[in-house]
Amino acid sequence: ERRDLSRRHQIAAMSAPDEKVDAMVIKCEKTGKLFYNEADAKLHSEETGLQAFAQVSLEEKVWVCKETGKVCFNEQQMAMHKRFVPEAQTFDESNVGELRTKALAAAAAAAAAPAEMETEEETLLRSAGLAGKLARKAAKAGEAGPSGPPLVTKELVDQLLEMGFTELRAQKALVKTSNAGIEPAINWLGEHLDDADIDEPLSTEVE
């Protein structure tokens, strides 16, 4: 059973000290991405500007694309993903509970691994989230950006890659929407999927 939650009510519910909260799985309604704790859901909302979330049952069926890792919740989403990403052909049936178990096991293994020093490149990539927020703020305020090739933040590209889009299409969508965020990029891809030049290289920079 699924119940829609406003972001404010959802975060308040997740903040309650209850064992059920620990097992709560939240899905971003726009991207379909699943979150297994409050912090990750909040971070996703802050980085993308998306606010529509829903709680999903551990028993809910999902289909995971072997080629891209994209999680789909019904046949319509699978068909759409195949249309967006031509190489997406094979899907394995699973459920939210199994995905949660695998994700928590992977997180535990990563936490147990020896800590590594963060490189300068990793520091820059991690800071891309802030750059994305500033870009969205500037776009909303109607401020003019610097001249030259448009910048595409790595954090937003990665979000689209997680959804199963190719890197080229992700970058192109962000460039065409002035790097304004995930939702405008997804909308642009939906509108221009059948463009003859959708997979032609685009000159841009990734911040």
Side-chain angles (χ1 to χ4, degrees):
E1 180 181 0
R2 180 184 303 174
R3 59 186 180 87
D4 292 335
L5 300 172
S6 69
R7 179 173 178 271
R8 182 176 60 185
H9 291 163
Q10 170 198 326
I11 298 304
M14 288 192 293
S15 299
D18 193 321
E19 291 183 1
K20 292 182 179 180
V21 171
D22 293 334
M24 181 181 288
V25 178
I26 297 295
K27 183 184 77 169
C28 173
E29 293 284 59
K30 189 66 179 180
T31 66
K33 188 172 182 179
L34 297 175
F35 302 94
Y36 308 103
N37 59 63
E38 174 187 357
D40 288 347
K42 284 184 175 180
L43 181 61
H44 179 72
S45 179
E46 291 170 359
E47 289 181 342
T48 64
L50 301 177
Q51 297 184 4
F53 293 85
Q55 182 179 347
V56 293
S57 166
L58 296 179
E59 289 74 33
E60 182 164 350
K61 285 186 178 182
V62 295
W63 289 263
V64 183
C65 179
K66 280 187 176 181
E67 290 78 14
T68 67
K70 168 70 174 176
V71 177
C72 297
F73 289 80
N74 52 51
E75 292 185 1
Q76 182 180 4
Q77 290 182 4
M78 285 191 282
M80 183 176 296
H81 184 57
K82 288 180 180 179
R83 185 164 176 256
F84 276 129
V85 186
E87 60 267 29
Q89 296 297 324
T90 311
F91 290 83
D92 289 332
E93 184 175 324
S94 184
N95 62 52
V96 172
E98 290 178 357
L99 295 185
R100 179 179 182 274
T101 298
K102 291 178 181 178
L104 294 181
E116 296 182 3
M117 293 294 292
E118 187 178 60
T119 65
E120 182 178 355
E121 180 181 7
E122 289 169 339
T123 302
L124 291 174
L125 293 180
R126 180 168 53 79
S127 67
L130 177 59
K133 294 178 190 176
L134 293 176
R136 291 194 298 274
K137 183 177 180 181
K140 290 179 180 179
E143 298 176 1
S147 59
L151 289 175
V152 173
T153 53
K154 183 69 164 58
E155 180 270 333
L156 292 179
V157 172
D158 287 344
Q159 291 279 350
L160 290 170
L161 291 178
E162 288 179 1
M163 295 174 62
F165 295 108
T166 64
E167 185 169 7
L168 174 59
R169 292 185 180 187
Q171 291 182 358
K172 180 172 289 190
L174 290 169
V175 167
K176 294 296 186 179
T177 56
S178 302
N179 202 52
I182 293 296
E183 188 164 6
I186 294 174
N187 292 338
W188 185 91
L189 284 165
E191 295 169 0
H192 297 273
L193 182 62
D194 296 324
D195 289 1
D197 62 348
I198 186 67
D199 290 316
E200 289 185 6
L202 179 67
S203 176
T204 185
E205 297 179 7
V206 178
E207 185 180 65

